[in-house]
Amino acid sequence: SLITPMTMRYVYAAIFFSANIVAWVERENPITYFSRQRRSGCSHHDCYAAEGVLTISFAYFLFSSIMFLSTVGTRTVHDRRHSWHFQWWWLKVLILFACLRISIFTPSDVIELYGKAAHFGAGVFLLIQLVSVIRFITRLSYKCYLKVIIVSVAAYSASIVGIILMFYQYTGCLVNITFIVTTLVVVCLMTLISLLSKSGLMGVYIVFLCWSAIKSEPDTRCFKKGKAGSGDNWITIITFIVGLIGITYATFSTGTDDYKCLNFRNVVETENDVPYGYGFFHFVYAMGSMYFGMVFVGWDTHHMSEKWSIDVGWTSTWVHIANEHLAVISFGK
């Protein structure tokens, strides 16, 4: 049968991706919609845009929370909640639309409170994602050692190349120089004190976090985005779409991490065990909904990001830097 817990993961991912698209649409075109639908609202564009994003985020958070509470603790396929996780889609669609309706008519003060709570939830999501990455690297280090060494050498080389490219392109101010130099020192130290099989792959992740932090900077002398021509517009749009896919994939992969091995095949202990933790899966999506809410408003509900942009703002930059430092600390444990 095509309707299985494994295939339905992709349906949940598609719904999550759609929620991201709707949140972006509401961010770009918020005023007309919310001036008619909200019972209490804002007085300027940024506030309307933030409410638009957070309303969609809150709706999906409610849906994922309901799914989490109704599936957490499911252990075997004989549990009635097993079929609820991947069947009864007509009822789930009704619940999803009910959550959207509730979110739309939720007072602005409550949405603002949710936005503050979403900072914490998004942080939890990043922490879970970090643990997932470290677990993956650790598992990889103990499998096919010779091949892993080859991959790790390539990864370490890629880290150094990435740092060189960042030096070439993003050293417009002292802040960026500090970010890049710190990352270089950390990558070198990790290589000296740990196995290359782990440090090489972790180095790539840390360099990626540093690059993400710099790319999140607003248009200042530290990072000049420049005037976009027609070609640059297409690059911006493609980057935006890739960013959406990245958010969706990060949520999807993290939600099933505990039940996946190196070759991405699902591991079950007995024939009666569920293939992955349904409750944990929906919990990650609930936190992921808070995360995309923060990403679309740049972690700041008072200043909106530019069109076709995701995760832009100084708050976003420092979130990535904090995540990088946390990754280094976790790696050393």
Side-chain angles (χ1 to χ4, degrees):
S1 174
L2 294 177
I3 304 178
T4 66
M6 304 310 299
T7 56
M8 287 303 101
R9 295 179 306 164
Y10 299 98
V11 176
Y12 285 111
I15 296 173
F16 183 81
F17 181 78
S18 300
N20 279 256
I21 295 294
V22 174
W24 170 74
V25 171
E26 292 299 337
R27 188 188 73 175
E28 301 302 326
N29 306 278
I31 295 180
T32 302
Y33 177 80
F34 279 93
S35 63
R36 293 199 307 263
Q37 299 293 334
R38 300 290 290 172
R39 291 189 294 182
S40 59
C42 310
S43 58
H44 56 88
H45 178 275
D46 283 357
C47 187
Y48 276 114
E51 282 207 19
V53 171
L54 293 177
T55 297
I56 302 303
S57 172
F58 183 51
Y60 196 84
F61 171 78
L62 290 176
F63 173 74
S64 295
S65 297
I66 291 172
M67 292 303 303
F68 164 71
L69 293 174
S70 60
T71 58
V72 64
T74 305
R75 301 295 183 186
T76 69
V77 296
H78 301 300
D79 193 316
R80 292 182 179 179
R81 295 173 296 175
H82 167 69
S83 60
W84 163 242
H85 170 69
F86 68 97
Q87 295 178 352
W88 298 86
W89 278 100
W90 64 270
L91 181 56
K92 290 174 185 171
V93 170
L94 291 178
I95 293 174
L96 182 59
F97 277 102
C99 290
L100 179 60
R101 194 66 177 174
I102 291 172
S103 183
I104 288 174
F105 286 101
T106 299
S108 297
D109 291 341
V110 177
I111 293 296
E112 183 178 357
L113 182 62
Y114 168 77
K116 294 179 180 179
H119 286 83
F120 173 77
V124 172
F125 174 81
L126 289 175
L127 181 61
I128 295 174
Q129 186 182 48
L130 174 60
V131 172
S132 175
V133 170
I134 293 176
R135 283 171 56 87
F136 173 78
I137 293 174
T138 302
R139 290 198 302 265
L140 188 63
S141 300
Y142 291 101
K143 294 178 179 286
C144 306
Y145 191 74
L146 181 59
K147 294 181 180 179
V148 170
I149 287 294
I150 295 174
V151 172
S152 298
V153 170
Y156 179 76
S157 301
S159 300
I160 299 301
V161 171
I163 291 173
I164 292 173
L165 291 176
M166 286 193 293
F167 263 118
Y168 176 76
Q169 191 168 4
Y170 301 127
T171 52
C173 65
L174 182 60
V175 172
N176 286 354
I177 294 174
T178 303
F179 290 164
I180 298 171
V181 170
T182 302
T183 301
L184 174 61
V185 171
V186 166
V187 170
C188 292
L189 287 177
M190 286 195 310
T191 305
L192 292 175
I193 65 177
S194 182
L195 295 174
L196 182 63
S197 59
K198 292 180 64 176
S199 61
L201 295 171
M202 196 64 182
V204 170
Y205 183 62
I206 289 173
V207 170
F208 169 75
L209 290 176
C210 179
W211 175 80
S212 298
I214 294 175
K215 291 290 287 184
S216 293
E217 293 174 359
D219 192 357
T220 64
R221 70 184 185 89
C222 284
F223 180 40
K224 290 291 186 183
K225 294 181 172 60
K227 300 296 183 181
S230 58
D232 292 329
N233 285 334
W234 278 109
I235 293 175
T236 302
I237 293 172
I238 292 172
T239 302
F240 171 81
I241 295 173
V242 170
L244 286 183
I245 295 174
I247 294 172
T248 303
Y249 178 76
T251 309
F252 173 85
S253 59
T254 303
T256 53
D257 171 70
D258 279 343
Y259 302 87
K260 294 166 67 178
C261 63
L262 179 64
N263 59 3
F264 301 101
R265 295 174 60 187
N266 292 275
V267 179
V268 294
E269 295 181 357
T270 69
E271 293 182 355
N272 293 327
D273 287 339
V274 295
Y276 54 92
Y278 301 155
F280 179 74
F281 177 83
H282 291 294
F283 175 77
V284 170
Y285 270 85
M287 297 300 101
S289 65
M290 289 185 164
Y291 176 69
F292 84 68
M294 290 295 96
V295 164
F296 274 109
V297 300
W299 297 78
D300 186 349
T301 58
H302 300 292
H303 297 88
M304 286 297 98
S305 301
E306 297 178 359
K307 189 175 182 179
W308 298 110
S309 65
I310 300 179
D311 205 16
V312 174
W314 282 113
T315 306
S316 298
T317 296
W318 289 109
V319 166
H320 286 298
I321 291 299
N323 197 24
E324 178 185 352
H325 291 171
L326 186 59
V328 174
I329 294 172
S330 301
F331 176 80
K333 296 296 184 180

